[in-house]
Structures are given as structure tokens and as C-alpha cells.
Amino acid sequence: MALCRRLSRLAAHLQDPQKVAAFQRLCGVEGPMGWADAEQRAGVRGPVANGSPPAAERAGGQGHPAGNGTVPGGAGPPQRWRRRPRRNSLTEEDGSQEFSTRSRFLYYLFSLGTELGNELFYILFFPFCIWNLDAWLGRRLIIIWVWVMYLGQCAKDVIRWPRPASPPVVKLEVFYNTEYSMPSTHAMSGTAIPLALLLLSYGRWQYPLMFGLILAFCWCLLVCCSRIYMGMHSILDVIAGFLYAILILVVFHPVVDLIDNFNLTYKYAPLIIISLHLALGIFSFTLDTWSTSRGDTAQILGCGAGVACGSHVNYMMGLNLDPPPKTLPLSLSSLTVTVFGKAILRLLIGVIVLLLTKVAMKKATIPLACKIFCIPHDDVRKARQRMEVELPYRYITYGTVGFSLMFIVPCLFHFIGLS
């Protein structure tokens, strides 16, 4: 009983938004003048929805006198600039806040860390790995990534903990602000991908183990700290995401070879994969009311299904993207200017094809889903908040993108002599 009370106090301590604000101040981030007073006013008005700032602060601090943003103990007034965080097109939330910082380097460093868990990174990293490095490795990374992200998003909608309160936290990002907070799926992805990369590649690729450990540690630390810096997660959210990802890795890493072999060789694998991923998507849509996490979940499942189906078609047609066994273990020592140039060209052409595929499928699936389910599509944002539109749109669009990643684009490379 005493242990439970101590754990409960520790959890409350790590979930305290003041700890997030303290880390932000340590990194030189300050909110508008009167930020502490705004916290008291927000307490009088009642709780804030999912950590959103009060109306005056969302308007950029209008209602506070503009100050010079001097940070106690600093060498002088830090440079202050107004910015508008990247917002989600499906939400009406603005969330722009004026803030000051003593270190633009830290701001851009942690922005990079956050991007390591966003779509832009995934659409560059996974294709580069599959087309230029090792398709065997890339397929297994995607299998682990899909399960880590799916289980993380579902856990958010079951636990339903709000984002850290703002104020005292300064929100430097609002793109995922409508989602719940616990656990941090950025921390889960930032833990699972580098650790899985190390576990799967060591011995298959020639590199010092210490290099892999340092890379995984720095990758994980950067992503986890970036979520606290951006004001999107409490310390407890990040720790829980880290531990949850470790647990999922322990479960799925021993069976990832079996899953990949099933995807490649079993006759009815595509039918089972599509049905399973679609059922998981429908289940996740029933866990809570609308938020951006539902679309992201369908997007992840669709991508995983498309990659698995593309891998199966490759296998059945004899299009083997894996390095020949006689070349193992692989090494980067043979890297030349020509090889590097072809790799960049493959990435450039391939990503353009994937983006064009995404745009074309989006243009086709949203109106089609609205027509089939008799949903008005004059306001696309509202239409996409309906499961009947968002689930098929995300699932079909990103399923096609995943299939193109594994089959269409490699066939194109073979046709134009870039394979």
C-alpha cells in the first residue's frame, strides 16, 4: 500500500506541467509577459481543454503588455520573435504564441528531434532504407513501427490524459494538440526505430557496436527531450512511451522474421493483411471521439498493409530487392560518388512518385467516400472527421503509397536502369 502511494506521488510529480515549464526555461524558452498571471486567471475560469492556452494567449498574448522578455540570470534580453506553429488542417485551433528564446540552436535542434517522429521523416527514411540500403531491414523496421505506433495511439485513446496545461507550459507546436498525451508516441517511435535498427542491422552490417549504441542513444534522447521542449508532453508521458516501446520490442522482435516470411510467402497473405489492418483501424475508431490520432492510426495501418502486400507481389513475381546472401555482411566501405549520386536520384524520383500517388488518391477517395456514404463534402474538414470518410481515405491512400514504395517504384527503377 505504501509502495502504491509512493508510486502515485512520483507519477504526479513527473506529470506536473511546472516541470515541463522549468525544462523550457532551462533551455531559454519564455512565454509572453504576464504568463504567470495568465495561469492564475485560467485557474479561476476553470480547467483548460487538453492543455490549450486561454483565448488571450492563443491570440498571441494580446491582453498582456509586451515586455522585453528578459530571462533572469541571462546576459541580456533574449531575441523575441512571433511565430505560428504548424497547425493541423483538420482543426480550427490556431495556438500561436509569442515566445522568446536565448538559443535558436536549441529551438532548431529540438524541432529536428520532433520531425524524427513526423510523416516527413518517415517518407524519407523508410524509402531510402528500402531502395538504397537493405530492403530486408526496411521491411522489418516498418513491421515494428506499425505495431509500436498502433498500440501507442490506442493507448492514448484508452487512457485519455490531457496535454500539459498551458500556461505554465509554452506550446511551441499545436499540430497534435487535439490528441491525448499518454504515452508519447513520438518517444515510442524515437525509441523503437533506432533500437530496432541496431538489433536488426548489427551483424548484418559491418560497423562498431559502440557506434550503433551511441547513435541509438542520441536519437532516442533527442526525440524524447524535444517533446518536453515543445510543451507537448509531460516527463511521465515520455518515460511511459520509452518503456512501452521497449516492451513492444521485447514481444515483437523475436517474431518479426516469422511475420515477414508470412507476408512474403503465404498464398493468402494479402487478404489476411488487408482484413486484419482494416479491422484494427475500425476498432481504434471506436475508442474515443474524433481526434487527429484516429486518422494517423488508419494512415499507419494502411501504410503497413500496402508495404506487406507490395512485398508479397515482389516475392511472387521474383523481384528480389534484398541483397544477395553472398554479399553479407554488408559494408559502407564501397560507397563512391557514383553510388551516392544514384542513391540520391532514386530517393528524389521515388519520393516524387509517392507524393504524386498520395495527392491523386486523396483527390479520388475523399469525394468517393462522401458520395458512397451520402456525406456532404462542401466542408472537407468536417467530412473528414467522420469515420466513414477518414478511415477509407487514409487507409486506401496510404495503403497505395506503401504498395508503391515496395513494388511500383522499384519496378520504375528497373525500367529506367536505376535498380
Side-chain angles (χ1 to χ4, degrees):
M1 219 41 197
L3 177 61
C4 290
R5 285 196 297 270
R6 284 198 295 269
L7 290 176
S8 178
R9 286 196 297 268
L10 177 61
H13 178 76
L14 294 175
Q15 198 183 7
D16 186 1
Q18 293 290 351
K19 301 294 182 294
V20 179
F23 180 78
Q24 290 183 314
R25 289 193 296 271
L26 180 66
C27 295
V29 175
E30 294 287 340
M33 194 70 164
W35 198 238
D37 296 336
E39 180 183 2
Q40 296 177 358
R41 291 197 301 273
V44 172
R45 285 192 296 266
V48 222
N50 202 22
S52 299
E57 284 73 29
R58 285 201 304 268
Q62 299 169 1
H64 309 303
N68 60 10
T70 302
V71 179
Q79 186 173 10
R80 177 183 289 272
W81 80 97
R82 179 179 171 83
R83 64 182 292 276
R84 188 173 297 273
R86 185 171 65 106
R87 44 182 305 223
N88 196 304
S89 61
L90 293 181
T91 66
E92 296 178 336
E93 187 171 13
D94 183 353
S96 59
Q97 297 174 350
E98 186 183 74
F99 69 94
S100 59
T101 178
R102 287 176 294 175
S103 175
R104 286 202 179 192
F105 169 76
L106 287 179
Y107 172 74
Y108 289 118
L109 176 66
F110 287 126
S111 295
L112 172 64
T114 284
E115 285 301 324
L116 292 179
N118 289 343
E119 182 180 350
L120 176 62
F121 168 73
Y122 298 139
I123 208 168
L124 293 174
F125 173 75
F126 290 131
F128 184 84
C129 183
I130 290 171
W131 298 335
N132 294 318
L133 295 178
D134 188 353
W136 180 94
L137 177 62
R139 291 196 308 271
R140 284 157 173 78
L141 283 176
I142 290 176
I143 290 171
I144 291 174
W145 169 73
V146 167
W147 282 106
V148 164
M149 295 299 292
Y150 175 76
L151 293 173
Q153 294 285 21
C154 288
K156 280 187 177 183
D157 288 339
V158 170
I159 299 173
R160 302 181 184 181
W161 284 7
R163 299 281 185 183
S166 174
V169 173
V170 183
K171 292 293 180 72
L172 306 188
E173 176 191 295
V174 295
F175 190 81
Y176 298 106
N177 205 41
T178 58
E179 295 182 14
Y180 293 110
S181 186
M182 166 66 81
S184 168
T185 46
H186 271 76
M188 292 180 68
S189 171
T191 300
I193 290 180
L195 287 182
L197 185 62
L198 175 62
L199 291 171
L200 293 169
S201 65
Y202 187 70
R204 184 176 176 86
W205 282 78
Q206 291 180 337
Y207 61 85
L209 177 60
M210 186 55 64
F211 171 78
L213 290 172
I214 292 174
L215 176 63
F217 174 79
C218 292
W219 186 333
C220 179
L221 183 66
L222 178 60
V223 175
C224 290
C225 290
S226 74
R227 303 313 288 159
I228 302 174
Y229 178 89
M230 291 292 175
M232 296 305 291
H233 286 286
S234 68
I235 298 174
L236 183 61
D237 298 336
V238 170
I239 293 175
F242 171 80
L243 296 177
Y244 194 19
I246 297 292
L247 176 62
I248 296 171
L249 267 179
V250 169
V251 173
F252 278 94
H253 178 257
V255 298
V256 70
D257 286 337
L258 294 175
I259 296 174
D260 185 59
N261 187 63
F262 171 83
N263 293 343
L264 292 177
T265 61
Y266 187 63
K267 182 178 180 180
Y268 300 107
L271 179 62
I272 295 174
I273 292 164
I274 292 172
S275 301
L276 175 62
H277 284 223
L278 185 58
L280 291 173
I282 294 172
F283 169 75
S284 69
F285 270 58
T286 65
L287 291 177
D288 193 47
T289 55
W290 181 87
S291 75
T292 53
S293 68
R294 300 201 317 181
D296 291 343
T297 302
Q299 178 175 316
I300 292 162
L301 291 170
C303 183
V307 168
C309 291
S311 303
H312 180 82
V313 173
N314 283 343
Y315 180 83
M316 291 301 171
M317 295 186 63
L319 181 60
N320 187 15
L321 303 181
D322 297 352
K326 63 181 180 181
T327 64
L328 300 178
L330 302 169
S331 173
L332 292 175
S333 60
S334 58
L335 182 65
T336 63
V337 175
T338 303
V339 171
F340 179 76
K342 289 183 70 174
I344 297 300
L345 188 59
R346 276 194 293 266
L347 182 65
L348 180 62
I349 294 174
V351 168
I352 289 175
V353 172
L354 296 184
L355 293 177
L356 291 176
T357 302
K358 174 185 170 182
V359 171
M361 294 305 299
K362 179 179 179 180
K363 294 288 186 182
T365 52
I366 294 179
L368 181 60
C370 290
K371 185 175 182 180
I372 291 175
F373 294 103
C374 301
I375 296 173
H377 62 275
D378 298 334
D379 189 338
V380 175
R381 184 187 62 81
K382 288 185 177 179
R384 285 181 55 186
Q385 293 183 11
R386 299 281 297 271
M387 183 185 78
E388 301 91 330
V389 176
E390 186 76 344
L391 179 58
Y393 149 59
R394 296 270 193 162
Y395 190 81
I396 295 173
T397 297
Y398 285 89
T400 308
V401 170
F403 185 81
S404 300
L405 164 65
M406 286 305 304
F407 179 70
I408 302 296
V409 174
C411 287
L412 174 64
F413 291 157
H414 182 75
F415 179 76
I416 63 178
L418 270 179
S419 57

